[in-house]
Amino acid sequence: MRKENIKEYRTILVIIVLLTLFSLFVSLRGGKVMIKEAGQDALLPQSDYVVQTEHGSLTVGKSSWEEVQHLFPQGKNLGNSTIYHPDDQPIFFTFSKKENILTDIHIQGGSLATYRGIRVGDSLEKLTTAYGSNYTTISTGEAGNVDVVYGRGNDIVFQVRGNLVNAIVLQHGITWPAT
């Protein structure tokens, strides 16, 4: 095994351990997860899955790994995974294994905006003005902390903390169980 691979494997292992510990901490706090579904799911048009960058646009469910790497040439895959992370950018791109098509964009900083102009740091009010009231919320009951989900099958999830958008995840091909 090459030395640089060992470092990547250790980094991934540390991340997995930290996420496991965090999940255990949250589950032991006794917080109950509450899901409130909208009366009718918002069916988002394909344009809502387009993210504009400084050098071009990407479409979740259509753009390829090559297109992402062309727009963000300074980056790397995390280990041997299908996740690409541009250097010095709080963004993660996930690809399908076989087709190598962009399936998820995780935005954790204000450098990218959704098609409707929502960025990390925007208010919950601005979010609901842009996307409407047909969304599902997932929360633990903490005031101002909620995940706002638009769509089904193809989703946009806005993590809201303190009534401000903290992270944005655009997902392609996620299926939800029937309710």
Side-chain angles (χ1 to χ4, degrees):
M1 194 178 298
R2 295 187 346 204
K3 197 171 197 172
E4 48 287 342
N5 284 348
I6 291 173
K7 184 178 178 183
E8 289 176 357
Y9 288 127
R10 285 183 183 160
T11 301
I12 291 171
L13 181 61
V14 167
I15 291 170
I16 290 170
V17 168
L18 289 174
L19 286 174
T20 302
L21 290 174
F22 178 73
S23 299
L24 181 62
F25 170 75
V26 170
S27 68
L28 292 177
R29 287 182 46 208
K32 192 173 190 178
V33 174
M34 295 173 280
I35 299 174
K36 180 183 172 193
E37 294 197 32
Q40 181 178 7
D41 290 328
L43 296 176
L44 301 174
Q46 181 65 39
S47 60
D48 275 321
Y49 298 93
V50 175
V51 173
Q52 189 66 38
T53 74
E54 291 179 16
H55 305 290
S57 62
L58 296 170
T59 305
V60 176
K62 292 193 177 208
S63 294
S64 68
W65 184 87
E66 290 81 12
E67 291 173 81
V68 172
Q69 191 177 35
H70 176 75
L71 295 176
F72 296 95
Q74 301 300 317
K76 60 183 172 262
N77 277 32
L78 298 181
N80 290 327
S81 71
T82 59
I83 301 172
Y84 182 77
H85 175 61
D87 293 341
D88 302 325
Q89 293 279 337
I91 308 163
F92 296 87
F93 299 99
T94 305
F95 299 88
S96 61
K97 285 187 179 186
K98 290 182 182 177
E99 302 86 11
N100 221 9
I101 299 297
L102 182 62
T103 59
D104 299 73
I105 300 176
H106 294 249
I107 304 169
Q108 298 174 330
S111 61
L112 294 181
T114 67
Y115 181 76
R116 298 187 193 193
I118 301 300
R119 295 179 182 278
V120 168
D122 286 342
S123 69
L124 178 59
E125 181 181 356
K126 182 176 179 180
L127 166 63
T128 56
T129 298
Y131 283 89
S133 60
N134 287 331
Y135 56 84
T136 299
T137 59
I138 303 169
S139 75
T140 59
E142 292 181 50
N145 294 345
V146 65
D147 290 348
V148 176
V149 182
Y150 287 91
R152 227 178 244 249
N154 295 323
D155 307 296
I156 302 178
V157 180
F158 297 92
Q159 181 186 60
V160 177
R161 299 297 180 260
N163 289 316
L164 297 176
V165 175
N166 188 52
I168 303 169
V169 180
L170 294 93
Q171 305 176 45
H172 174 73
I174 303 299
T175 57
W176 290 53
T179 56

